[in-house]
Amino acid sequence: MKLNDTLNMLMYAFGVDQVQALETGEMSYHFGGDQPFGALAFPGNILRIHVPLSLKAVDAAALTRVLEGNCLGIESGTGQLALSPESDGLAMVDFIALDALEKDDVQMRIVDLLLYADYWETMGAGLLGQQSASTFAPEDALMTTIRV
């Protein structure tokens, strides 16, 4: 899918609030709707989608949870939980190489990212200061070590 087709699809689906040419040459787009998000177009048909969150990771426990959520992928999907490019809070971010994807695939990546952002704004917010990802790991008694 081409960048222009993707941006047209996003503008039609979400409406565009702002378009801005950055000093670095990239174009920045801000989309509205129930869950506002932004897109940054990079050369090479790459699109970065970022969904600002109201969360902040200010201590070691919260930053550890951010890393765990990204590492395990259970709480971030194809995107990453990262420091927001626009504020001092967190954002869900995904870089999408558009050349390799069809329209339906791009739409699903964006919907997926918005769903993970919604998770972090609701259930995930309560878990941010906890080390709950360890609940996904088996207890020591259930582990088997295999040496190769």
Side-chain angles (χ1 to χ4, degrees):
M1 186 166 193
K2 297 295 177 199
L3 181 62
N4 287 342
D5 297 333
T6 303
L7 292 173
N8 286 334
M9 174 190 67
L10 291 173
M11 288 179 203
Y12 178 77
F14 298 101
V16 66
D17 292 339
Q18 179 183 8
V19 177
Q20 177 182 0
L22 304 177
E23 291 179 10
T24 55
E26 289 89 14
M27 293 296 294
S28 176
Y29 304 86
H30 294 268
F31 298 94
D34 294 339
Q35 194 172 31
F37 65 95
L40 187 63
F42 288 99
N45 219 22
I46 304 291
L47 188 67
R48 182 194 76 193
I49 303 287
H50 62 275
V51 185
L53 303 174
S54 61
L55 303 173
K56 294 183 181 183
V58 294
D59 60 11
L63 291 170
T64 299
R65 282 295 293 123
V66 168
L67 290 173
E68 287 175 343
N70 287 337
C71 180
L72 297 175
I74 296 169
E75 297 169 305
S76 59
T78 58
Q80 301 88 33
L81 197 58
L83 296 177
S84 176
E86 298 180 339
S87 71
D88 60 347
L90 296 175
M92 284 299 304
V93 178
D94 194 4
F95 287 85
I96 303 173
L98 298 171
D99 286 337
L101 300 174
E102 299 294 325
K103 180 180 178 180
D104 291 341
D105 300 323
V106 173
Q107 289 174 338
M108 290 310 300
R109 287 277 294 267
I110 294 168
V111 167
D112 189 55
L113 188 70
L114 293 172
L115 289 172
Y116 278 105
D118 185 59
Y119 163 79
W120 279 104
E121 288 286 10
T122 55
M123 291 176 46
L127 301 174
L128 193 58
Q130 304 171 10
Q131 293 186 349
S132 66
S134 61
T135 60
F136 299 115
E139 296 178 19
D140 290 339
L142 301 174
M143 292 179 67
T144 302
T145 302
I146 300 174
R147 298 185 193 274
V148 180

Short mmCIF file of all heavy atoms in Angstrom, two decimals, residues 4 8 16 24 29 37 40 47-48 54 56 67 82-83 109 116-117 120:
data_model
loop_
_atom_site.label_atom_id
_atom_site.label_comp_id
_atom_site.label_asym_id
_atom_site.label_seq_id
_atom_site.Cartn_x
_atom_site.Cartn_y
_atom_site.Cartn_z
N ASN A 4 0.28 7.71 0.25
CA ASN A 4 -0.86 8.59 -0.05
C ASN A 4 -2.19 7.88 0.13
O ASN A 4 -3.16 8.45 0.64
CB ASN A 4 -0.75 9.16 -1.46
CG ASN A 4 0.33 10.22 -1.56
OD1 ASN A 4 0.76 10.78 -0.56
ND2 ASN A 4 0.76 10.48 -2.78
N ASN A 8 -5.02 8.93 2.86
CA ASN A 8 -6.40 9.18 2.43
C ASN A 8 -7.38 8.32 3.21
O ASN A 8 -8.45 8.78 3.62
CB ASN A 8 -6.55 8.95 0.93
CG ASN A 8 -5.93 10.06 0.11
OD1 ASN A 8 -5.80 11.19 0.57
ND2 ASN A 8 -5.54 9.73 -1.11
N VAL A 16 -8.94 14.58 9.74
CA VAL A 16 -7.61 15.10 10.09
C VAL A 16 -7.78 16.45 10.78
O VAL A 16 -8.55 17.29 10.33
CB VAL A 16 -6.70 15.19 8.84
CG1 VAL A 16 -7.19 16.21 7.85
CG2 VAL A 16 -5.27 15.47 9.24
N THR A 24 12.66 18.64 9.57
CA THR A 24 13.44 17.50 9.10
C THR A 24 12.96 16.97 7.76
O THR A 24 13.56 16.07 7.19
CB THR A 24 13.40 16.37 10.14
OG1 THR A 24 12.02 16.05 10.41
CG2 THR A 24 14.09 16.78 11.43
N TYR A 29 0.83 14.29 10.84
CA TYR A 29 -0.63 14.35 10.71
C TYR A 29 -1.24 14.04 12.07
O TYR A 29 -0.79 13.14 12.78
CB TYR A 29 -1.12 13.31 9.70
CG TYR A 29 -0.49 13.45 8.34
CD1 TYR A 29 0.73 12.85 8.05
CD2 TYR A 29 -1.11 14.19 7.35
CE1 TYR A 29 1.32 13.00 6.81
CE2 TYR A 29 -0.53 14.33 6.10
CZ TYR A 29 0.68 13.73 5.83
OH TYR A 29 1.26 13.87 4.60
N PHE A 37 -4.92 10.32 17.48
CA PHE A 37 -3.59 9.76 17.26
C PHE A 37 -2.90 10.56 16.18
O PHE A 37 -3.51 11.36 15.48
CB PHE A 37 -3.66 8.27 16.90
CG PHE A 37 -4.33 7.97 15.59
CD1 PHE A 37 -3.59 7.81 14.44
CD2 PHE A 37 -5.71 7.83 15.53
CE1 PHE A 37 -4.20 7.52 13.24
CE2 PHE A 37 -6.34 7.54 14.33
CZ PHE A 37 -5.59 7.39 13.18
N LEU A 40 3.35 10.05 11.35
CA LEU A 40 4.51 10.74 10.81
C LEU A 40 4.99 9.93 9.62
O LEU A 40 5.25 8.73 9.74
CB LEU A 40 5.60 10.85 11.87
CG LEU A 40 6.83 11.68 11.53
CD1 LEU A 40 6.45 13.14 11.30
CD2 LEU A 40 7.83 11.60 12.67
N LEU A 47 5.42 4.57 7.82
CA LEU A 47 4.50 5.42 8.57
C LEU A 47 4.61 5.08 10.06
O LEU A 47 4.54 3.91 10.43
CB LEU A 47 3.06 5.16 8.10
CG LEU A 47 1.98 6.08 8.64
CD1 LEU A 47 2.18 7.51 8.12
CD2 LEU A 47 0.61 5.58 8.22
N ARG A 48 4.85 6.11 10.88
CA ARG A 48 4.84 5.90 12.33
C ARG A 48 3.51 6.39 12.86
O ARG A 48 3.14 7.54 12.67
CB ARG A 48 5.96 6.69 13.02
CG ARG A 48 5.97 6.42 14.54
CD ARG A 48 6.81 7.39 15.31
NE ARG A 48 6.09 8.67 15.41
CZ ARG A 48 6.65 9.79 15.80
NH1 ARG A 48 7.92 9.86 16.08
NH2 ARG A 48 5.93 10.90 15.88
N SER A 54 -2.59 9.02 28.56
CA SER A 54 -2.59 9.93 29.71
C SER A 54 -1.66 9.43 30.81
O SER A 54 -1.56 10.04 31.86
CB SER A 54 -4.01 10.10 30.25
OG SER A 54 -4.52 8.85 30.68
N LYS A 56 1.92 8.27 32.73
CA LYS A 56 3.32 8.68 32.85
C LYS A 56 4.06 7.58 33.61
O LYS A 56 3.54 7.02 34.56
CB LYS A 56 3.45 10.01 33.58
CG LYS A 56 2.86 11.16 32.80
CD LYS A 56 3.06 12.46 33.50
CE LYS A 56 2.41 13.57 32.66
NZ LYS A 56 2.62 14.87 33.23
N LEU A 67 8.84 -1.86 29.94
CA LEU A 67 9.76 -2.79 29.26
C LEU A 67 9.18 -4.19 29.19
O LEU A 67 9.30 -4.87 28.17
CB LEU A 67 11.12 -2.80 29.96
CG LEU A 67 11.93 -1.52 29.82
CD1 LEU A 67 13.18 -1.59 30.70
CD2 LEU A 67 12.31 -1.27 28.38
N ALA A 82 6.00 3.49 24.58
CA ALA A 82 7.20 4.32 24.55
C ALA A 82 6.91 5.69 25.16
O ALA A 82 5.75 6.03 25.42
CB ALA A 82 7.67 4.49 23.11
N LEU A 83 7.97 6.45 25.35
CA LEU A 83 7.79 7.84 25.75
C LEU A 83 7.15 8.57 24.57
O LEU A 83 7.54 8.37 23.42
CB LEU A 83 9.12 8.47 26.12
CG LEU A 83 9.81 7.85 27.34
CD1 LEU A 83 11.17 8.51 27.57
CD2 LEU A 83 8.95 7.99 28.58
N ARG A 109 -3.52 -3.24 11.54
CA ARG A 109 -2.40 -2.77 12.38
C ARG A 109 -2.81 -1.54 13.17
O ARG A 109 -2.48 -1.40 14.34
CB ARG A 109 -1.18 -2.46 11.51
CG ARG A 109 -0.45 -3.64 10.94
CD ARG A 109 0.54 -4.27 11.92
NE ARG A 109 1.66 -3.45 12.27
CZ ARG A 109 2.84 -3.46 11.66
NH1 ARG A 109 3.05 -4.27 10.64
NH2 ARG A 109 3.81 -2.69 12.09
N TYR A 116 -4.71 -1.65 21.84
CA TYR A 116 -3.69 -1.73 22.90
C TYR A 116 -3.59 -0.41 23.66
O TYR A 116 -3.41 -0.39 24.88
CB TYR A 116 -2.33 -2.15 22.35
CG TYR A 116 -2.22 -3.64 22.17
CD1 TYR A 116 -2.29 -4.22 20.91
CD2 TYR A 116 -2.07 -4.47 23.27
CE1 TYR A 116 -2.21 -5.60 20.76
CE2 TYR A 116 -1.99 -5.84 23.13
CZ TYR A 116 -2.06 -6.40 21.87
OH TYR A 116 -1.98 -7.76 21.73
N ALA A 117 -3.74 0.70 22.96
CA ALA A 117 -3.74 2.01 23.63
C ALA A 117 -4.92 2.10 24.60
O ALA A 117 -4.78 2.57 25.73
CB ALA A 117 -3.79 3.14 22.61
N TRP A 120 -4.15 0.17 27.76
CA TRP A 120 -3.26 0.88 28.67
C TRP A 120 -3.95 2.06 29.35
O TRP A 120 -3.61 2.43 30.46
CB TRP A 120 -1.98 1.32 27.96
CG TRP A 120 -1.02 0.19 27.89
CD1 TRP A 120 -0.73 -0.56 26.79
CD2 TRP A 120 -0.26 -0.37 28.96
NE1 TRP A 120 0.17 -1.54 27.11
CE2 TRP A 120 0.49 -1.45 28.44
CE3 TRP A 120 -0.13 -0.06 30.31
CZ2 TRP A 120 1.33 -2.22 29.22
CZ3 TRP A 120 0.73 -0.82 31.10
CH2 TRP A 120 1.45 -1.88 30.54
#
